[in-house]
Amino acid sequence: MKCPHCGKWNSASLPHCIYCGEALPDDAYGKDGVPVWQMELDDRSGEKSYIHVDDSGEAETTVDPRERLAREMADLKTRKIRGEEKQRMLRQEAARRGMAPSGRTVRTTSNRSTFFSAYDDPSATLRPVAPEMVEQGDVRPGARRVVPSQYRYTDPGTDEAFSPGETRRLVDIKLPDESENVYDGFQDAGAYMGVDGSDPENAMRMHSSSYARIRRPRRHSARRALHVLVVLALVAAVGWAAYAYVFPLLWPQEEEQALKATVIPTIRQDVAAHTITIPGEEGQRITIRELRTSAIVTGGVATFDILDHIWYDEYEDYLQDTMTVTLTPYVTSDSGKQTPLGAISYEIDIPLSPIEINTPDNLYQEVSTAMYDISFSVTVGSSVFINGEDCSDLVDSEDGSVNYNATVQPIGENNYTIEVQSQYCRANSITVTLYRARQSIPLDLASETSSTSTSGDGTMTIRGTTLPGAVIKVLSPYSDLDITNTDTDGSFSFIAKFDKIGNNTVIITADYPGRETTRVEHVVYYVPNIDVYSRKAWDINKDYTSLMDNLETRVRNSQIYVCKGTVTSVETTKPQRAFFDVSLTDSPLLIYVENASKTTWEVGKSYDLYADVFGLYDSKPWLIVRYTYPYTGS
């Protein structure tokens, strides 16, 4: 900065001259003590930005459009003020030279009305000049108003061509109006007038006349077409609503004619049935021709309960699983006149005769005995045929159970076809296959040989026959093998020992010179009786931690536990497996149990279970339950 006193240059940031001590001007070191170079670094054009960071850490930078809009509005205001100052200066200069402005009057209000009407309202569009901007003094002598040719006229009857409905800013040059506004020392042009000399109010009303209909702006036509479309849509909606809702209220008989019979599946007398409701007038008698039965209309409908089986009782074989039923109802008047109603059709299901196999567990089973007990359940009173032989007398009259002793030949597969015909059901049949290997040397166990054992000492006597002179060997644990009569009649016996609870396999072989060895395996399900079994039971609630720590040893020894608690959930049904809570506190203590007893568990009920360890399931000890009793408490 140059010192105004000594003329020497100083740093712009110094308040006094370092040579003469004269105070430097304020603008020498900036404004309000802020250096100029710092003011020049102000980034006035920058926009505020916002950084958004989501949950994953991704950042997104956005600019608020409102900041840009506010800046543009501020700039617009600044330009407007500068424009007004510039216009004021130009008008002053023009007045000084004795000339009038040649531009049109500046508008400060919206001119949107020109899109819908061809006429402007001067009072709404002419910007009044602020009093402080009006310069004082009279118009300079000799100044003339400069009016463009399109705004001049001397007589309304002139031959100048105008379009109908057109308005212009018209000034009569011969008859100047002294009342016209004076802006900045010059006279403004006249008001908007029609070519016919009408006043602005009449011109504003011309949009409803035929002239306005002749010439319309294009924007006006598009909007009017849109209005027409909206009106048509509203008319269509009102018409549809009237057709859908008003007409049915005015003519209710049409709704009555639309009423139809309803068919609802139901159960009557413990068998499948359908309930038919037919609408009618109160007190009418409606008859179904096929059933020869009638019902009186009560509450607006006649009701019929029809058992499904009456439609197929007369058929000997129900080969189809469904049947279509058609009813023909009619109204019988007091005079005996019959008026038919619409036919009613519906479909019924013909169920299969129920049959449930208890033993064997699968429809294909390998056996080692000449006799095998096939057990199954049917509906009481059913007809049962096994391989064509009538066995209906074997059906228990109380629970419908059937036990059939099948003779199994050593020929490979032995098929037993069970056919069941229950009342009101289709015939059902299943085939059980018992496989017994072919034998070079006959080796049969006695027919009374059981597949289960509950002996307290874990033994069972096994008897059988073979080819006389054959050599009998027992490969499973046993004692007291008796082959005294084997050489004469081929009989033998021994005592089988069961070393674990559950399934134990008894293995017997027979050898004879010149023939292939015959091997027979017989599975016996061994569980001691409850008196012996319960004496060996430990309390699982107290021994839970020790069980988990020594699980392999407990499984190997088939350790028995008593489990008192509640079934929390059933996982499978055949066999039934469930989670069982044995905790005595609010904190659950779960075990996984498999039901090998004769009682079916229910979720939420409490039981006393006697079970032996089998393994691990879902990090929980897995036990096989042999006996189930009602819960007796802790």
Side-chain angles (χ1 to χ4, degrees), residues 462 472-474 478-484 486 492-495 508:
I462 304 292
I472 298 299
K473 295 180 181 179
V474 181
Y478 74 99
S479 66
D480 301 336
L481 175 61
D482 184 4
I483 55 174
T484 304
T486 303
F492 64 91
S493 66
F494 63 93
I495 296 176
I508 310 168

Side-chain angles (χ1 to χ4, degrees), residues 482-594:
D482 184 4
I483 55 174
T484 304
N485 299 322
T486 303
D487 291 339
T488 57
D489 58 8
S491 63
F492 64 91
S493 66
F494 63 93
I495 296 176
K497 293 183 177 180
F498 307 129
D499 56 358
K500 63 179 180 179
I501 297 174
N503 291 329
N504 293 262
T505 302
V506 179
I507 304 174
I508 310 168
T509 62
D511 294 298
Y512 193 85
R515 297 193 181 187
E516 187 178 351
T517 300
T518 298
R519 179 188 176 98
V520 172
E521 296 182 359
H522 181 64
V523 179
V524 178
Y525 177 75
Y526 167 66
V527 177
N529 59 64
I530 187 61
D531 293 335
V532 176
Y533 192 79
S534 60
R535 285 194 222 115
K536 301 178 181 180
W538 295 358
D539 189 343
I540 194 170
N541 185 276
K542 298 178 180 178
D543 196 57
Y544 189 91
T545 303
S546 177
L547 169 61
M548 296 299 294
D549 294 339
N550 304 277
L551 187 63
E552 294 184 2
T553 304
R554 299 287 198 270
V555 172
R556 185 169 56 252
N557 297 334
S558 298
Q559 179 59 51
I560 302 170
Y561 287 93
V562 56
C563 311
K564 299 175 180 290
T566 304
V567 177
T568 59
S569 64
V570 174
E571 303 299 309
T572 62
T573 56
K574 192 173 182 180
Q576 189 179 34
R577 294 171 180 167
F579 281 104
F580 196 76
D581 186 7
V582 296
S583 175
L584 299 178
T585 63
D586 294 336
S587 300
L589 189 64
L590 298 179
I591 61 174
Y592 188 70
V593 290
E594 180 177 328

Side-chain angles (χ1 to χ4, degrees), residues 369 371 445-451 460-464 522 524:
T369 60
M371 301 296 295
L445 300 182
S447 59
E448 68 271 11
T449 302
S450 177
S451 297
M460 187 177 73
T461 300
I462 304 292
R463 294 182 174 85
H522 181 64
V524 178

Side-chain angles (χ1 to χ4, degrees), residues 132-183:
E132 61 272 13
M133 296 186 64
V134 179
E135 296 186 5
Q136 303 298 325
D138 298 328
V139 178
R140 186 175 180 176
R144 295 180 55 193
R145 285 186 300 148
V146 180
V147 181
S149 60
Q150 60 264 36
Y151 299 110
R152 299 180 183 182
Y153 82 101
T154 56
D155 193 321
T158 181
D159 294 335
E160 185 177 359
F162 291 96
S163 300
E166 180 182 357
T167 60
R168 297 183 179 180
R169 296 180 59 84
L170 303 177
V171 178
D172 190 349
I173 300 177
K174 296 180 179 180
L175 301 175
D177 187 358
E178 298 298 335
S179 65
E180 291 178 351
N181 296 327
V182 176
Y183 295 96

Side-chain angles (χ1 to χ4, degrees), residues 275-333:
T275 298
I276 315 296
T277 56
I278 304 175
E281 297 180 2
E282 202 72 18
Q284 281 185 334
R285 177 180 296 275
I286 297 180
T287 304
I288 296 180
R289 192 183 306 277
E290 289 76 10
L291 301 179
R292 295 183 177 85
T293 183
S294 302
I296 303 299
V297 176
T298 304
V301 294
T303 304
F304 299 86
D305 290 327
I306 306 174
L307 302 178
D308 289 352
H309 68 81
I310 67 174
W311 302 107
Y312 53 82
D313 275 346
E314 298 179 357
Y315 293 87
E316 294 183 359
D317 294 322
Y318 309 141
L319 301 179
Q320 55 194 18
D321 54 356
T322 60
M323 175 184 289
T324 301
V325 176
T326 301
L327 304 178
T328 308
Y330 59 88
V331 178
T332 304
S333 62

Side-chain angles (χ1 to χ4, degrees), residues 124-401:
T125 58
L126 291 178
R127 177 179 60 83
V129 178
E132 61 272 13
M133 296 186 64
V134 179
E135 296 186 5
Q136 303 298 325
D138 298 328
V139 178
R140 186 175 180 176
R144 295 180 55 193
R145 285 186 300 148
V146 180
V147 181
S149 60
Q150 60 264 36
Y151 299 110
R152 299 180 183 182
Y153 82 101
T154 56
D155 193 321
T158 181
D159 294 335
E160 185 177 359
F162 291 96
S163 300
E166 180 182 357
T167 60
R168 297 183 179 180
R169 296 180 59 84
L170 303 177
V171 178
D172 190 349
I173 300 177
K174 296 180 179 180
L175 301 175
D177 187 358
E178 298 298 335
S179 65
E180 291 178 351
N181 296 327
V182 176
Y183 295 96
D184 295 346
F186 67 93
Q187 290 181 321
D188 197 3
Y192 282 99
M193 300 294 293
V195 294
D196 56 353
S198 59
D199 60 359
E201 294 183 359
N202 291 333
M204 291 298 293
R205 290 192 295 269
M206 288 180 63
H207 68 278
S208 60
S209 65
S210 59
Y211 293 105
R213 288 193 295 270
I214 295 176
R215 183 179 180 181
R216 302 183 184 89
R218 183 176 302 175
R219 182 82 175 259
H220 176 72
S221 300
R223 181 175 293 272
R224 185 163 185 176
L226 179 61
H227 290 173
V228 172
L229 291 177
V230 172
V231 172
L232 291 177
L234 292 176
V235 171
V238 172
W240 178 84
Y243 176 79
Y245 299 103
V246 178
F247 290 170
L249 297 177
L250 298 179
W251 292 278
Q253 63 274 12
E254 294 184 2
E255 181 179 356
E256 295 177 0
Q257 294 176 1
L259 293 177
K260 296 181 180 180
T262 59
V263 181
I264 302 175
T266 185
I267 299 294
R268 293 290 183 272
Q269 303 174 14
D270 295 332
V271 295
H274 281 78
T275 298
I276 315 296
T277 56
I278 304 175
E281 297 180 2
E282 202 72 18
Q284 281 185 334
R285 177 180 296 275
I286 297 180
T287 304
I288 296 180
R289 192 183 306 277
E290 289 76 10
L291 301 179
R292 295 183 177 85
T293 183
S294 302
I296 303 299
V297 176
T298 304
V301 294
T303 304
F304 299 86
D305 290 327
I306 306 174
L307 302 178
D308 289 352
H309 68 81
I310 67 174
W311 302 107
Y312 53 82
D313 275 346
E314 298 179 357
Y315 293 87
E316 294 183 359
D317 294 322
Y318 309 141
L319 301 179
Q320 55 194 18
D321 54 356
T322 60
M323 175 184 289
T324 301
V325 176
T326 301
L327 304 178
T328 308
Y330 59 88
V331 178
T332 304
S333 62
D334 296 337
S335 61
K337 180 181 177 180
Q338 297 180 354
T339 303
L341 301 175
I344 303 172
S345 296
Y346 62 96
E347 197 172 72
I348 62 174
D349 295 325
I350 305 176
L352 280 171
S353 300
I355 177 173
E356 181 180 359
I357 298 294
N358 300 323
T359 58
D361 294 335
N362 301 307
L363 296 181
Y364 188 94
Q365 182 73 32
E366 293 186 7
V367 299
S368 58
T369 60
M371 301 296 295
Y372 189 87
D373 181 32
I374 299 177
S375 175
F376 57 94
S377 300
V378 297
T379 303
V380 176
S382 300
S383 299
V384 178
F385 293 83
I386 301 178
N387 286 346
E389 179 185 358
D390 190 355
C391 299
S392 302
D393 56 336
L394 299 178
V395 180
D396 190 281
S397 59
E398 294 183 358
D399 58 6
S401 61

